[in-house]
Amino acid sequence: MNYILSLLIIGFIHLVHSKIDKDLQTFFKKNKCDQKCTFESGNLTFGTIDLFPSSCETVCADLQLDQRSNLTENELTSVFKNMKHLIGRLKVLNTNYTSGKFLSGLESIECDGNGMLEWGENFKLLEIGLINLTSIICYRVDIWQNFNLTRLNMPNLKILFYPWSKYSLPVKESYIALTFLSTDFCITTNEMATTINVTDYISYKYCEPVLDDKLCKEPVKGCIEIFGDLEITDDTDLEIMKTIEIIYGSLIINGTDIKDFGFLESLKYVASLEKNMEAIIVENNPKLNNITFPRLKVPRPEKLFKIVLCFQKIRSTMKSSIRFTNNNEIISLDPSLCINLRKSMKLDDEYIKINDDNCSEFEETL
Ligand SMILES: *[C@@H]1O[C@H](CO)[C@@H](O)[C@H](O)[C@H]1NC(C)=O
Ligand SMILES: *[C@@H]1O[C@H](CO)[C@@H](O)[C@H](O)[C@H]1NC(C)=O
Ligand SMILES: *[C@@H]1O[C@H](CO)[C@@H](O)[C@H](O)[C@H]1NC(C)=O
Ligand SMILES: *[C@@H]1O[C@H](CO)[C@@H](O)[C@H](O)[C@H]1NC(C)=O
Ligand SMILES: *[C@@H]1O[C@H](CO)[C@@H](O)[C@H](O)[C@H]1NC(C)=O
Ligand SMILES: *[C@@H]1O[C@H](CO)[C@@H](O)[C@H](O)[C@H]1NC(C)=O
Ligand SMILES: *[C@@H]1O[C@H](CO)[C@@H](O)[C@H](O)[C@H]1NC(C)=O
Ligand SMILES: *[C@@H]1O[C@H](CO)[C@@H](O)[C@H](O)[C@H]1NC(C)=O
Ligand SMILES: *[C@@H]1O[C@H](CO)[C@@H](O)[C@H](O)[C@H]1NC(C)=O
């Protein structure tokens, strides 16, 4: 009797919750989701856990864990133990879990065009802990109000983006937002490198990295990434700079005789997390007559600088990401220099300041 009753109840819950939205249904079809491996209910609770296709490696679901779930971390670890790929969406909201390690077998998440990866209001969460996750193909990743979260702990994450063209959908702004976490929260250089092409709202510090031959604090021959600000002065050996691709900090070029930025031939990204400081400062270089960077541009370079701008929006009165002050006067006299720089990086006026002017501004005053 009880058994039948609970079957009825499960059936009822199943019916009530079995309304995967149209977009997602289409997405499941496109991804050839196996009916047997589709979790229709989406809401994983005490009442639906038996319906979860826990033997499948690839699961299709609009998966949500929340205050109604009433499932222990052990129960979740067991139900997710075979799931390596999730097609659909994932939300973990309002739970008391301390870690997301119950999903540590997960290797990829692929969302539909409305689907995001979201962890919010999990007040006891200390880490996300998706340690085997290598790829998140979701248009948004939103990690918010997990007040005790100190680490993502996603050491293997390599891919984070959304290929709008693949699904011929109207492009929405993709981003990763990490907001209202523990004040001790930090992001690793690897995690930053993965998110570098995507707009981000991250106003936390970098975790102290493990340095090696490639990642250096003090630039020496062979460094590819620099942790901290890189200051180039008259004493700097420019040869060493030729291999540097990423600076996790600001770039300061101050008081040199350089004529152009040719020596930064490999530099692709500057990702500063510092408050009250531009990502790039070029000051007191009287011979500088070409301000275009050789490689500091990606197909969506404005995203790169939004990393910095975001901070400045939140925490500083400054708006620009690149500042030129007191250099060769030709830089303010010849607007084409500024305009070429702006064009080469597809930046807006607000990102570049030359002696406090923006490109358009001093184009007009001439
Ligand atoms: C999960 O529950 C919420 C709230 O009751 C509901 O809006 C949503 O449609 C459910 N998800 C699925 C996939 O049924
Ligand atoms: C989480 O813990 C709080 C207090 O310990 C409790 O009131 C709340 O019901 C718990 N939430 C869930 C989803 O278990
Ligand atoms: C949560 O699940 C346990 C069994 O695991 C059950 O005893 C308890 O009543 C449930 N609580 C709620 C609020 O559903
Ligand atoms: C994570 O990946 C490693 C290496 O492939 C594997 O040994 C381990 O079992 C995986 N973890 C889980 C929870 O599946
Ligand atoms: C989580 O953070 C809140 C606010 O910062 C704090 O009051 C609470 O004690 C913390 N909870 C745990 C389990 O650490
Ligand atoms: C950023 O985009 C460029 C160009 O599309 C690509 O080559 C590079 O691999 C991307 N980097 C990351 C970390 O996704
Ligand atoms: C550049 O060097 C000058 C003279 O040493 C110094 O006053 C100034 O603060 C430096 N600027 C930056 C941004 O470090
Ligand atoms: C300015 O510098 C860039 C990058 O080093 C270079 O590609 C470009 O040819 C230079 N322009 C002129 C006019 O020399
Ligand atoms: C650029 O300068 C023009 C002219 O002074 C001004 O109207 C405009 O607001 C400035 N744009 C930015 C983004 O600062």
Side-chain angles (χ1 to χ4, degrees):
M1 179 61 198
N2 266 345
Y3 177 69
I4 290 171
L5 194 64
S6 58
L7 269 187
L8 276 175
I9 291 169
I10 289 169
F12 179 68
I13 291 168
H14 185 62
L15 268 181
V16 167
H17 290 310
S18 175
K19 42 175 190 270
I20 297 172
D21 75 48
K22 276 253 157 59
D23 285 345
L24 202 52
Q25 277 177 20
T26 312
F27 186 69
F28 285 175
K29 247 186 224 135
K30 208 170 252 169
N31 281 280
K32 301 191 168 62
C33 286
D34 185 339
Q35 191 67 39
K36 288 195 301 291
C37 294
T38 303
F39 180 51
E40 300 266 351
S41 162
N43 293 300
L44 192 63
T45 65
F46 186 68
T48 61
I49 191 163
D50 292 337
L51 300 169
F52 191 86
S54 58
S55 58
C56 298
E57 268 195 15
T58 299
V59 172
C60 298
D62 184 355
L63 189 57
Q64 177 159 336
L65 288 166
D66 59 29
Q67 70 282 358
R68 296 166 299 173
S69 297
N70 191 22
L71 296 166
T72 64
E73 296 186 33
N74 280 342
E75 285 172 307
L76 292 175
T77 304
S78 158
V79 79
F80 293 139
K81 69 178 185 299
N82 292 314
M83 181 168 73
K84 290 198 164 92
H85 311 285
L86 176 65
I87 294 177
R89 304 167 185 171
L90 175 62
K91 285 185 188 157
V92 182
L93 306 173
N94 248 305
T95 70
N96 282 337
Y97 304 126
T98 54
S99 164
K101 280 239 165 90
F102 48 77
L103 281 166
S104 63
L106 198 59
E107 292 170 11
S108 74
I109 302 178
E110 186 166 356
C111 300
D112 67 300
N114 289 318
M116 44 195 264
L117 174 63
E118 193 180 353
W119 294 65
E121 296 187 317
N122 302 290
F123 299 140
K124 296 188 176 164
L125 196 67
L126 304 174
E127 58 158 17
I128 304 287
L130 298 181
I131 52 174
N132 276 8
L133 192 65
T134 57
S135 121
I136 301 175
I137 302 182
C138 292
Y139 90 105
R140 282 180 190 170
V141 176
D142 203 350
I143 298 178
W144 55 282
Q145 286 193 24
N146 305 289
F147 294 123
N148 293 295
L149 192 75
T150 55
R151 295 287 187 121
L152 291 180
N153 195 10
M154 297 184 181
N156 285 307
L157 193 61
K158 304 255 168 4
I159 297 168
L160 183 130
F161 77 117
Y162 201 80
W164 292 104
S165 54
K166 185 174 158 195
Y167 304 111
S168 50
L169 291 163
V171 176
K172 286 179 265 189
E173 193 200 14
S174 288
Y175 64 71
I176 171 168
L178 306 179
T179 52
F180 303 106
L181 310 177
S182 165
T183 49
D184 292 332
F185 183 85
C186 66
I187 183 164
T188 66
T189 52
N190 276 344
E191 288 159 353
M192 178 56 95
T194 303
T195 64
I196 218 146
N197 283 341
V198 180
T199 301
D200 78 88
Y201 299 93
I202 303 174
S203 56
Y204 296 92
K205 56 183 183 287
Y206 282 115
C207 307
E208 199 53 43
V210 179
L211 302 174
D212 57 24
D213 292 350
K214 286 182 170 175
L215 177 65
C216 325
K217 271 190 182 166
E218 296 302 325
V220 292
K221 204 165 162 38
C223 295
I224 293 178
E225 304 182 349
I226 298 289
F227 185 79
D229 297 341
L230 176 60
E231 191 166 358
I232 292 170
T233 65
D234 216 20
D235 304 330
T236 308
D237 180 358
L238 299 183
E239 274 301 306
I240 291 170
M241 303 302 149
K242 290 190 168 167
T243 53
I244 291 165
E245 294 180 10
I246 306 183
I247 300 170
Y248 300 103
S250 291
L251 170 65
I252 301 156
I253 302 176
N254 192 358
T256 73
D257 280 337
I258 58 162
K259 296 192 176 70
D260 58 48
F261 299 138
F263 64 98
L264 296 171
E265 63 185 40
S266 304
L267 185 65
K268 290 192 285 192
Y269 305 114
V270 177
S272 168
L273 291 181
E274 256 160 286
K275 299 165 249 170
N276 303 316
M277 190 160 167
E278 293 89 350
I280 299 176
I281 298 172
V282 183
E283 219 172 85
N284 311 319
N285 304 285
K287 297 192 178 156
L288 189 65
N289 61 27
N290 176 352
I291 59 173
T292 308
F293 290 88
R295 281 193 76 188
L296 191 63
K297 56 185 175 201
V298 286
R300 298 157 64 206
E302 75 276 21
K303 305 301 180 194
L304 159 63
F305 287 97
K306 273 187 183 159
I307 289 170
V308 178
L309 191 71
C310 158
F311 289 100
Q312 291 169 347
K313 268 185 187 153
I314 292 169
R315 298 209 188 170
S316 136
T317 51
M318 279 179 307
K319 281 185 102 185
S320 62
S321 294
I322 309 183
R323 169 165 70 81
F324 290 83
T325 312
N326 189 33
N327 296 290
N328 189 342
E329 70 175 6
I330 193 174
I331 299 172
S332 347
L333 292 176
D334 181 357
S336 72
L337 293 177
C338 186
I339 288 159
N340 285 339
L341 172 67
R342 189 179 63 182
K343 208 163 83 187
S344 73
M345 298 209 237
K346 300 191 192 88
L347 295 173
D348 295 331
D349 271 339
E350 61 181 332
Y351 295 83
I352 305 172
K353 284 280 182 294
I354 296 186
N355 299 332
D356 285 334
D357 292 341
N358 65 49
C359 289
S360 308
E361 194 167 5
F362 77 14
E363 204 181 3
E364 280 164 22
T365 59
L366 284 168

